[in-house]
Amino acid sequence: MRPYYLPREFSHVIVITAYVPPSASADAACDSLHSVVSRLQTQSPRALLIISGDFNHASLDSTLPTFTQYVTCPTRDNKTLDLLYANAEEAYSSSPLPPLGRSDHNLVHLVPVYEPLVRREPPATRTVQRWSEESEEALKDCFESTVWEVICDDHGEDIDSLTTCITDYINFCVDNTVPTRTVRCFSNNKPWITPEIKAVLKQKRRAFKSKDKEELKRVQRELRGLIRNGKDSYRQKMENQLQQNNVGEVWRGLRTISGHKHQNSLPGRDVRWANELNQFFNRFDSAMRQSPTSAADSPTPTAAVPPQTLHTSSIHPAHSSQPPTTASNTHSTQGSSLSLSTTQVRRELRRIKAKKAAGPDGISSRVVRSCADQLCGVMEHLFNLSLRLGRVPQLWKTSCVVPVPKTSRPKDLNSYRPVALTSHLMKTLERLVLAQLRRLVSSSLDPLQFAYQPGIGADDAVIHLLHRSLAHLETAGSTVRIMFFDFSSAFNTILPSVLKDKLENSGVDHHLTTWILDYLTDRPQYVRTQGCVSDRVVCSTGAPQGTVLAPFLFTIYTADFSHNSTQCFLQKFSDDSAIVGLITDGDDKEYRGLTQDFVDWCQLNYLQINASKTKELVVDFRRHKHPPLQPLNIQGMDIEAVDSYRYLGVHLNNKLDWTHNSDALYRKGQSRLYLLRRLRSFGVEGPLLKTFYDSVVASAIFYGVVCWGGSISAGDRKRLNRLIRRASSVLGCPLDPVEVVSDRRMAAKLSSLLDNISHPMQETLTALSSSFSGRLRHPRCGTERFRRSFLPTAVRLHNKDFN
């Protein structure tokens, strides 16, 4: 089964034959096959695994979801009983043949159609910069000797030309200081493949063609030793990077070895397809949405082009001067209450991650971070000039939209998510503005907005929803109806003219409001896909995904609609909005009214609700459900009532028993445990393996554990603990079970709730606090379901620790 030539992505081939009798249990057979396949994958993680045999009524589609079944023709009469599974896609095509002898099954001819990875993806030629300490020092010297005042004085308040001039100058200095190297990248190359190994591979090919068996054996032994030494060197390199606290490089190396989260490659398309994608992403920006107010406040758009068509200006470094001082910035803050200092700009420039991709301006994140001391002065001048004029440079507003597939196999334009790649300098200015904006509007935000609040996250939103729902279900004849809304590209639908009034009502001054409106309007964007860039640039309105200010501006945009009563409330997490109706005796009038008001408010604010993806979850434990609950109608469509819904990564069902969530966590933990085994077979041990477990495996198994840790069933707890024991055997060290981790995290979460006076559950905790001691009174629980929820369990743990 192993030919001489095997694609490099496979180490060898393993064939498993199986027979499942008609009287056998299909589940038991699938479990037995799963255990065998898991053991073989642990031993040989890069092998091609083939499972063939007579399966009768059994199927491995759910047991081994990563395997593909290739028999598409009937094998007995009109039934397909003989199957073949492989862990490679597009490997075979099947055709039927007559039975062999007196057999009652047909033969199946499997023709290999697999195309090696190196042929599917041709090598790419890239020019990379070779950064070193010497090049960084030379670049710093270049910027320190630059007379920045001359550049700034020549352009005055023409911020667009000044930004373009400084950008071209920085890129010019980098191009002339940092050496470059042209490399060819092969899709099937691993980082431990060295030129020496490639030379031995060529020797092996020559020995095979010459039919010299002794020479071939010798070369094969040498090749195995070189590959083993290359892997050891690569592992030692990662260990040294971990000791040097270079976590980014270590994480990239671990992902390369384990194959974790390989980005879905975009299909190679032409420029026409890129232009269609660009127009589709800009579908919300129409002339009807441009009001006279927003049109008057927006500046005249200038021509924006993709970076490959820009030409670098012939600017040469001047000598012996420093960046502009605060004296040159005294006039730049006359029109704006927000004034940035050199210290603030320097601190934000130093926080930029050095491995981030460059934006449309071409300025590398590494040069901004390394030369923060030399560039902070001129950047302070640019930032303050932008705030004083209330304008954002057109180059900084330009976005390179990278379409990220939402699914593994995208089918249409709607299957891609637009992620904007913008300038690092613009992101730095956005972070500085965000700090000021958060302070100004903190008092006017929705109290039930759980996103972008200090010390509050997705767990708090789920805990709040469940606590109020379970407390209401303690009453006889009670029902809970939850409407989960879905928006179509929520950030892109922000209308600047509507946001202007909301900002002014929140206490934001006129100059900062003008700057934000200019930031949102006339944003040039183009699409970059694999192998092509759209040649058409469109100007969009709104905050694209991937920018710093977009999420927070959306919370301000939706802050004026809030509702919180004893029978109904609206809670939000960014654009994930949920209306919860606490209904008694079937009286859902307030719930229906709030839902209709929210839909009307969304229409007035140009937020587009996707009614097909909006779902309702009904929790009803009444024995006699008369009259039955009627569905809600939104935009002429009856909203579907589902049995389970994934809310902020946690699966909720209509029984609140966490079975769906446990199944999802178990499946995800199983798939990531394979990655851990693959690392172990590579030879990774100690802190590196434990780091990967904490980051990948444990983060999946314990996601949202403070929400379900005390309410999970004993059977589901055993399943998850079994996964943890398997991970413990791979790591070679004991690991805490689910109950220990959940108790520890619930106690820590309760402590953070007590310390956070702005938390939405602070009033509930205050009512439980004892005036005589630091204990908390246990809430009254009439049902086991409420007794095992977060708050009663956390209070019990808190009082136990207090004793």
Side-chain angles (χ1 to χ4, degrees), residues 207-234:
F208 175 76
K209 291 181 179 180
S210 64
K211 299 181 180 180
D212 189 348
K213 295 184 179 180
E214 296 299 328
E215 178 66 14
L216 183 60
K217 291 181 180 180
R218 186 193 66 80
V219 174
Q220 285 178 337
R221 287 195 300 268
E222 182 182 359
L223 181 61
R224 285 194 295 267
L226 289 175
I227 292 177
R228 183 169 55 252
N229 295 334
K231 289 183 177 181
D232 291 339
S233 300
Y234 188 71

PDB file of all heavy atoms in Angstrom, residues 207-234:
ATOM      1  N   ALA A 207      19.343   8.025  -6.643  1.00  0.00           N
ATOM      2  CA  ALA A 207      19.642   6.626  -6.326  1.00  0.00           C
ATOM      3  C   ALA A 207      18.511   5.708  -6.765  1.00  0.00           C
ATOM      4  O   ALA A 207      18.741   4.578  -7.207  1.00  0.00           O
ATOM      5  CB  ALA A 207      19.896   6.482  -4.825  1.00  0.00           C
ATOM      6  N   PHE A 208      17.289   6.172  -6.651  1.00  0.00           N
ATOM      7  CA  PHE A 208      16.159   5.352  -7.086  1.00  0.00           C
ATOM      8  C   PHE A 208      16.154   5.175  -8.608  1.00  0.00           C
ATOM      9  O   PHE A 208      15.897   4.071  -9.119  1.00  0.00           O
ATOM     10  CB  PHE A 208      14.849   5.991  -6.628  1.00  0.00           C
ATOM     11  CG  PHE A 208      13.620   5.289  -7.128  1.00  0.00           C
ATOM     12  CD1 PHE A 208      13.210   4.094  -6.560  1.00  0.00           C
ATOM     13  CD2 PHE A 208      12.885   5.814  -8.183  1.00  0.00           C
ATOM     14  CE1 PHE A 208      12.074   3.449  -7.024  1.00  0.00           C
ATOM     15  CE2 PHE A 208      11.753   5.165  -8.649  1.00  0.00           C
ATOM     16  CZ  PHE A 208      11.352   3.977  -8.067  1.00  0.00           C
ATOM     17  N   LYS A 209      16.451   6.247  -9.330  1.00  0.00           N
ATOM     18  CA  LYS A 209      16.467   6.135 -10.793  1.00  0.00           C
ATOM     19  C   LYS A 209      17.616   5.258 -11.285  1.00  0.00           C
ATOM     20  O   LYS A 209      17.492   4.570 -12.299  1.00  0.00           O
ATOM     21  CB  LYS A 209      16.560   7.532 -11.412  1.00  0.00           C
ATOM     22  CG  LYS A 209      15.302   8.366 -11.226  1.00  0.00           C
ATOM     23  CD  LYS A 209      15.447   9.739 -11.888  1.00  0.00           C
ATOM     24  CE  LYS A 209      14.163  10.558 -11.727  1.00  0.00           C
ATOM     25  NZ  LYS A 209      14.278  11.902 -12.369  1.00  0.00           N
ATOM     26  N   SER A 210      18.735   5.259 -10.567  1.00  0.00           N
ATOM     27  CA  SER A 210      19.878   4.410 -10.965  1.00  0.00           C
ATOM     28  C   SER A 210      19.716   2.961 -10.518  1.00  0.00           C
ATOM     29  O   SER A 210      20.572   2.132 -10.842  1.00  0.00           O
ATOM     30  CB  SER A 210      21.170   4.986 -10.380  1.00  0.00           C
ATOM     31  OG  SER A 210      21.131   4.948  -8.951  1.00  0.00           O
ATOM     32  N   LYS A 211      18.660   2.649  -9.741  1.00  0.00           N
ATOM     33  CA  LYS A 211      18.377   1.285  -9.263  1.00  0.00           C
ATOM     34  C   LYS A 211      19.510   0.716  -8.426  1.00  0.00           C
ATOM     35  O   LYS A 211      19.745  -0.487  -8.411  1.00  0.00           O
ATOM     36  CB  LYS A 211      18.078   0.364 -10.442  1.00  0.00           C
ATOM     37  CG  LYS A 211      16.855   0.791 -11.253  1.00  0.00           C
ATOM     38  CD  LYS A 211      16.579  -0.168 -12.392  1.00  0.00           C
ATOM     39  CE  LYS A 211      15.339   0.294 -13.183  1.00  0.00           C
ATOM     40  NZ  LYS A 211      15.035  -0.627 -14.313  1.00  0.00           N
ATOM     41  N   ASP A 212      20.190   1.592  -7.709  1.00  0.00           N
ATOM     42  CA  ASP A 212      21.246   1.163  -6.788  1.00  0.00           C
ATOM     43  C   ASP A 212      20.623   1.000  -5.401  1.00  0.00           C
ATOM     44  O   ASP A 212      20.436   1.977  -4.669  1.00  0.00           O
ATOM     45  CB  ASP A 212      22.370   2.197  -6.774  1.00  0.00           C
ATOM     46  CG  ASP A 212      23.594   1.712  -6.003  1.00  0.00           C
ATOM     47  OD1 ASP A 212      23.488   0.680  -5.287  1.00  0.00           O
ATOM     48  OD2 ASP A 212      24.652   2.357  -6.109  1.00  0.00           O
ATOM     49  N   LYS A 213      20.282  -0.230  -5.019  1.00  0.00           N
ATOM     50  CA  LYS A 213      19.573  -0.485  -3.774  1.00  0.00           C
ATOM     51  C   LYS A 213      20.418  -0.133  -2.554  1.00  0.00           C
ATOM     52  O   LYS A 213      19.905   0.396  -1.566  1.00  0.00           O
ATOM     53  CB  LYS A 213      19.130  -1.945  -3.712  1.00  0.00           C
ATOM     54  CG  LYS A 213      18.098  -2.318  -4.768  1.00  0.00           C
ATOM     55  CD  LYS A 213      17.636  -3.747  -4.591  1.00  0.00           C
ATOM     56  CE  LYS A 213      16.583  -4.100  -5.641  1.00  0.00           C
ATOM     57  NZ  LYS A 213      16.106  -5.508  -5.489  1.00  0.00           N
ATOM     58  N   GLU A 214      21.687  -0.468  -2.584  1.00  0.00           N
ATOM     59  CA  GLU A 214      22.540  -0.163  -1.427  1.00  0.00           C
ATOM     60  C   GLU A 214      22.660   1.338  -1.204  1.00  0.00           C
ATOM     61  O   GLU A 214      22.594   1.824  -0.076  1.00  0.00           O
ATOM     62  CB  GLU A 214      23.918  -0.799  -1.626  1.00  0.00           C
ATOM     63  CG  GLU A 214      23.911  -2.311  -1.683  1.00  0.00           C
ATOM     64  CD  GLU A 214      23.385  -2.911  -0.392  1.00  0.00           C
ATOM     65  OE1 GLU A 214      23.595  -2.304   0.681  1.00  0.00           O
ATOM     66  OE2 GLU A 214      22.752  -3.988  -0.454  1.00  0.00           O
ATOM     67  N   GLU A 215      22.852   2.068  -2.300  1.00  0.00           N
ATOM     68  CA  GLU A 215      22.932   3.523  -2.170  1.00  0.00           C
ATOM     69  C   GLU A 215      21.601   4.099  -1.689  1.00  0.00           C
ATOM     70  O   GLU A 215      21.567   5.045  -0.892  1.00  0.00           O
ATOM     71  CB  GLU A 215      23.308   4.127  -3.515  1.00  0.00           C
ATOM     72  CG  GLU A 215      23.386   5.658  -3.542  1.00  0.00           C
ATOM     73  CD  GLU A 215      24.514   6.217  -2.686  1.00  0.00           C
ATOM     74  OE1 GLU A 215      25.405   5.434  -2.284  1.00  0.00           O
ATOM     75  OE2 GLU A 215      24.496   7.432  -2.413  1.00  0.00           O
ATOM     76  N   LEU A 216      20.480   3.532  -2.173  1.00  0.00           N
ATOM     77  CA  LEU A 216      19.178   4.020  -1.754  1.00  0.00           C
ATOM     78  C   LEU A 216      18.957   3.808  -0.262  1.00  0.00           C
ATOM     79  O   LEU A 216      18.439   4.694   0.442  1.00  0.00           O
ATOM     80  CB  LEU A 216      18.080   3.319  -2.558  1.00  0.00           C
ATOM     81  CG  LEU A 216      16.636   3.761  -2.283  1.00  0.00           C
ATOM     82  CD1 LEU A 216      16.463   5.236  -2.590  1.00  0.00           C
ATOM     83  CD2 LEU A 216      15.659   2.927  -3.104  1.00  0.00           C
ATOM     84  N   LYS A 217      19.348   2.655   0.267  1.00  0.00           N
ATOM     85  CA  LYS A 217      19.207   2.402   1.702  1.00  0.00           C
ATOM     86  C   LYS A 217      20.058   3.363   2.520  1.00  0.00           C
ATOM     87  O   LYS A 217      19.644   3.861   3.559  1.00  0.00           O
ATOM     88  CB  LYS A 217      19.575   0.964   2.009  1.00  0.00           C
ATOM     89  CG  LYS A 217      18.588  -0.068   1.477  1.00  0.00           C
ATOM     90  CD  LYS A 217      19.033  -1.473   1.849  1.00  0.00           C
ATOM     91  CE  LYS A 217      18.036  -2.513   1.305  1.00  0.00           C
ATOM     92  NZ  LYS A 217      18.456  -3.890   1.647  1.00  0.00           N
ATOM     93  N   ARG A 218      21.279   3.602   2.043  1.00  0.00           N
ATOM     94  CA  ARG A 218      22.159   4.513   2.775  1.00  0.00           C
ATOM     95  C   ARG A 218      21.590   5.926   2.818  1.00  0.00           C
ATOM     96  O   ARG A 218      21.582   6.583   3.867  1.00  0.00           O
ATOM     97  CB  ARG A 218      23.537   4.521   2.110  1.00  0.00           C
ATOM     98  CG  ARG A 218      24.581   5.347   2.886  1.00  0.00           C
ATOM     99  CD  ARG A 218      25.810   5.595   2.043  1.00  0.00           C
ATOM    100  NE  ARG A 218      25.508   6.434   0.899  1.00  0.00           N
ATOM    101  CZ  ARG A 218      25.392   7.769   0.979  1.00  0.00           C
ATOM    102  NH1 ARG A 218      25.534   8.389   2.148  1.00  0.00           N
ATOM    103  NH2 ARG A 218      25.129   8.472  -0.101  1.00  0.00           N
ATOM    104  N   VAL A 219      21.078   6.386   1.676  1.00  0.00           N
ATOM    105  CA  VAL A 219      20.524   7.740   1.616  1.00  0.00           C
ATOM    106  C   VAL A 219      19.270   7.846   2.482  1.00  0.00           C
ATOM    107  O   VAL A 219      19.029   8.861   3.144  1.00  0.00           O
ATOM    108  CB  VAL A 219      20.232   8.120   0.154  1.00  0.00           C
ATOM    109  CG1 VAL A 219      19.523   9.466   0.092  1.00  0.00           C
ATOM    110  CG2 VAL A 219      21.514   8.191  -0.646  1.00  0.00           C
ATOM    111  N   GLN A 220      18.460   6.779   2.517  1.00  0.00           N
ATOM    112  CA  GLN A 220      17.256   6.806   3.341  1.00  0.00           C
ATOM    113  C   GLN A 220      17.599   6.892   4.827  1.00  0.00           C
ATOM    114  O   GLN A 220      16.937   7.607   5.588  1.00  0.00           O
ATOM    115  CB  GLN A 220      16.402   5.570   3.053  1.00  0.00           C
ATOM    116  CG  GLN A 220      15.655   5.635   1.734  1.00  0.00           C
ATOM    117  CD  GLN A 220      14.869   4.381   1.451  1.00  0.00           C
ATOM    118  OE1 GLN A 220      15.163   3.314   1.977  1.00  0.00           O
ATOM    119  NE2 GLN A 220      13.858   4.491   0.606  1.00  0.00           N
ATOM    120  N   ARG A 221      18.623   6.154   5.244  1.00  0.00           N
ATOM    121  CA  ARG A 221      19.053   6.243   6.656  1.00  0.00           C
ATOM    122  C   ARG A 221      19.549   7.646   6.981  1.00  0.00           C
ATOM    123  O   ARG A 221      19.240   8.210   8.036  1.00  0.00           O
ATOM    124  CB  ARG A 221      20.146   5.214   6.935  1.00  0.00           C
ATOM    125  CG  ARG A 221      19.642   3.779   7.007  1.00  0.00           C
ATOM    126  CD  ARG A 221      20.694   2.876   7.633  1.00  0.00           C
ATOM    127  NE  ARG A 221      21.923   2.878   6.849  1.00  0.00           N
ATOM    128  CZ  ARG A 221      22.201   2.002   5.886  1.00  0.00           C
ATOM    129  NH1 ARG A 221      21.323   1.047   5.573  1.00  0.00           N
ATOM    130  NH2 ARG A 221      23.347   2.062   5.217  1.00  0.00           N
ATOM    131  N   GLU A 222      20.320   8.210   6.070  1.00  0.00           N
ATOM    132  CA  GLU A 222      20.830   9.566   6.287  1.00  0.00           C
ATOM    133  C   GLU A 222      19.685  10.572   6.339  1.00  0.00           C
ATOM    134  O   GLU A 222      19.696  11.503   7.153  1.00  0.00           O
ATOM    135  CB  GLU A 222      21.825   9.930   5.179  1.00  0.00           C
ATOM    136  CG  GLU A 222      22.454  11.310   5.358  1.00  0.00           C
ATOM    137  CD  GLU A 222      23.405  11.653   4.215  1.00  0.00           C
ATOM    138  OE1 GLU A 222      23.573  10.800   3.300  1.00  0.00           O
ATOM    139  OE2 GLU A 222      23.969  12.756   4.231  1.00  0.00           O
ATOM    140  N   LEU A 223      18.683  10.385   5.465  1.00  0.00           N
ATOM    141  CA  LEU A 223      17.556  11.310   5.430  1.00  0.00           C
ATOM    142  C   LEU A 223      16.751  11.246   6.719  1.00  0.00           C
ATOM    143  O   LEU A 223      16.347  12.290   7.261  1.00  0.00           O
ATOM    144  CB  LEU A 223      16.674  10.985   4.223  1.00  0.00           C
ATOM    145  CG  LEU A 223      15.453  11.888   4.012  1.00  0.00           C
ATOM    146  CD1 LEU A 223      15.876  13.330   3.786  1.00  0.00           C
ATOM    147  CD2 LEU A 223      14.614  11.386   2.834  1.00  0.00           C
ATOM    148  N   ARG A 224      16.517  10.035   7.238  1.00  0.00           N
ATOM    149  CA  ARG A 224      15.770   9.919   8.490  1.00  0.00           C
ATOM    150  C   ARG A 224      16.501  10.600   9.644  1.00  0.00           C
ATOM    151  O   ARG A 224      15.899  11.260  10.490  1.00  0.00           O
ATOM    152  CB  ARG A 224      15.524   8.447   8.810  1.00  0.00           C
ATOM    153  CG  ARG A 224      14.444   7.796   7.964  1.00  0.00           C
ATOM    154  CD  ARG A 224      14.017   6.458   8.553  1.00  0.00           C
ATOM    155  NE  ARG A 224      15.102   5.492   8.515  1.00  0.00           N
ATOM    156  CZ  ARG A 224      15.305   4.621   7.532  1.00  0.00           C
ATOM    157  NH1 ARG A 224      14.487   4.613   6.482  1.00  0.00           N
ATOM    158  NH2 ARG A 224      16.306   3.770   7.567  1.00  0.00           N
ATOM    159  N   GLY A 225      17.818  10.446   9.679  1.00  0.00           N
ATOM    160  CA  GLY A 225      18.584  11.113  10.735  1.00  0.00           C
ATOM    161  C   GLY A 225      18.545  12.623  10.626  1.00  0.00           C
ATOM    162  O   GLY A 225      18.417  13.334  11.633  1.00  0.00           O
ATOM    163  N   LEU A 226      18.619  13.145   9.394  1.00  0.00           N
ATOM    164  CA  LEU A 226      18.579  14.593   9.220  1.00  0.00           C
ATOM    165  C   LEU A 226      17.217  15.169   9.597  1.00  0.00           C
ATOM    166  O   LEU A 226      17.123  16.244  10.211  1.00  0.00           O
ATOM    167  CB  LEU A 226      18.909  14.944   7.765  1.00  0.00           C
ATOM    168  CG  LEU A 226      20.363  14.747   7.334  1.00  0.00           C
ATOM    169  CD1 LEU A 226      20.512  15.018   5.852  1.00  0.00           C
ATOM    170  CD2 LEU A 226      21.292  15.660   8.129  1.00  0.00           C
ATOM    171  N   ILE A 227      16.135  14.462   9.229  1.00  0.00           N
ATOM    172  CA  ILE A 227      14.801  14.940   9.594  1.00  0.00           C
ATOM    173  C   ILE A 227      14.623  14.915  11.105  1.00  0.00           C
ATOM    174  O   ILE A 227      14.053  15.846  11.704  1.00  0.00           O
ATOM    175  CB  ILE A 227      13.729  14.086   8.889  1.00  0.00           C
ATOM    176  CG1 ILE A 227      13.772  14.330   7.375  1.00  0.00           C
ATOM    177  CG2 ILE A 227      12.342  14.402   9.424  1.00  0.00           C
ATOM    178  CD1 ILE A 227      12.800  13.484   6.588  1.00  0.00           C
ATOM    179  N   ARG A 228      15.116  13.864  11.754  1.00  0.00           N
ATOM    180  CA  ARG A 228      15.006  13.790  13.208  1.00  0.00           C
ATOM    181  C   ARG A 228      15.781  14.930  13.873  1.00  0.00           C
ATOM    182  O   ARG A 228      15.305  15.571  14.813  1.00  0.00           O
ATOM    183  CB  ARG A 228      15.525  12.433  13.687  1.00  0.00           C
ATOM    184  CG  ARG A 228      15.388  12.221  15.188  1.00  0.00           C
ATOM    185  CD  ARG A 228      15.668  10.774  15.570  1.00  0.00           C
ATOM    186  NE  ARG A 228      16.971  10.324  15.099  1.00  0.00           N
ATOM    187  CZ  ARG A 228      17.154   9.465  14.097  1.00  0.00           C
ATOM    188  NH1 ARG A 228      16.107   8.967  13.445  1.00  0.00           N
ATOM    189  NH2 ARG A 228      18.376   9.113  13.724  1.00  0.00           N
ATOM    190  N   ASN A 229      16.989  15.210  13.375  1.00  0.00           N
ATOM    191  CA  ASN A 229      17.778  16.313  13.937  1.00  0.00           C
ATOM    192  C   ASN A 229      17.131  17.661  13.655  1.00  0.00           C
ATOM    193  O   ASN A 229      17.176  18.575  14.500  1.00  0.00           O
ATOM    194  CB  ASN A 229      19.198  16.276  13.364  1.00  0.00           C
ATOM    195  CG  ASN A 229      19.951  15.036  13.780  1.00  0.00           C
ATOM    196  OD1 ASN A 229      19.660  14.438  14.827  1.00  0.00           O
ATOM    197  ND2 ASN A 229      20.913  14.623  12.970  1.00  0.00           N
ATOM    198  N   GLY A 230      16.506  17.804  12.463  1.00  0.00           N
ATOM    199  CA  GLY A 230      15.836  19.060  12.148  1.00  0.00           C
ATOM    200  C   GLY A 230      14.653  19.331  13.061  1.00  0.00           C
ATOM    201  O   GLY A 230      14.435  20.462  13.504  1.00  0.00           O
ATOM    202  N   LYS A 231      13.884  18.293  13.373  1.00  0.00           N
ATOM    203  CA  LYS A 231      12.765  18.460  14.297  1.00  0.00           C
ATOM    204  C   LYS A 231      13.246  18.804  15.698  1.00  0.00           C
ATOM    205  O   LYS A 231      12.649  19.647  16.382  1.00  0.00           O
ATOM    206  CB  LYS A 231      11.919  17.191  14.314  1.00  0.00           C
ATOM    207  CG  LYS A 231      11.118  16.955  13.040  1.00  0.00           C
ATOM    208  CD  LYS A 231      10.252  15.715  13.153  1.00  0.00           C
ATOM    209  CE  LYS A 231       9.405  15.526  11.908  1.00  0.00           C
ATOM    210  NZ  LYS A 231       8.535  14.327  12.001  1.00  0.00           N
ATOM    211  N   ASP A 232      14.329  18.145  16.135  1.00  0.00           N
ATOM    212  CA  ASP A 232      14.860  18.469  17.463  1.00  0.00           C
ATOM    213  C   ASP A 232      15.346  19.907  17.531  1.00  0.00           C
ATOM    214  O   ASP A 232      15.123  20.611  18.528  1.00  0.00           O
ATOM    215  CB  ASP A 232      16.006  17.508  17.803  1.00  0.00           C
ATOM    216  CG  ASP A 232      15.520  16.085  18.032  1.00  0.00           C
ATOM    217  OD1 ASP A 232      14.315  15.917  18.317  1.00  0.00           O
ATOM    218  OD2 ASP A 232      16.329  15.146  17.918  1.00  0.00           O
ATOM    219  N   SER A 233      15.991  20.366  16.467  1.00  0.00           N
ATOM    220  CA  SER A 233      16.475  21.762  16.461  1.00  0.00           C
ATOM    221  C   SER A 233      15.307  22.746  16.472  1.00  0.00           C
ATOM    222  O   SER A 233      15.353  23.776  17.160  1.00  0.00           O
ATOM    223  CB  SER A 233      17.345  21.998  15.224  1.00  0.00           C
ATOM    224  OG  SER A 233      18.463  21.131  15.217  1.00  0.00           O
ATOM    225  N   TYR A 234      14.255  22.417  15.742  1.00  0.00           N
ATOM    226  CA  TYR A 234      13.093  23.301  15.712  1.00  0.00           C
ATOM    227  C   TYR A 234      12.405  23.339  17.075  1.00  0.00           C
ATOM    228  O   TYR A 234      11.965  24.407  17.523  1.00  0.00           O
ATOM    229  CB  TYR A 234      12.124  22.822  14.637  1.00  0.00           C
ATOM    230  CG  TYR A 234      10.977  23.765  14.380  1.00  0.00           C
ATOM    231  CD1 TYR A 234      11.175  24.983  13.741  1.00  0.00           C
ATOM    232  CD2 TYR A 234       9.685  23.437  14.774  1.00  0.00           C
ATOM    233  CE1 TYR A 234      10.121  25.844  13.503  1.00  0.00           C
ATOM    234  CE2 TYR A 234       8.629  24.297  14.539  1.00  0.00           C
ATOM    235  CZ  TYR A 234       8.850  25.493  13.905  1.00  0.00           C
ATOM    236  OH  TYR A 234       7.803  26.355  13.680  1.00  0.00           O
TER     237      TYR A 234
END
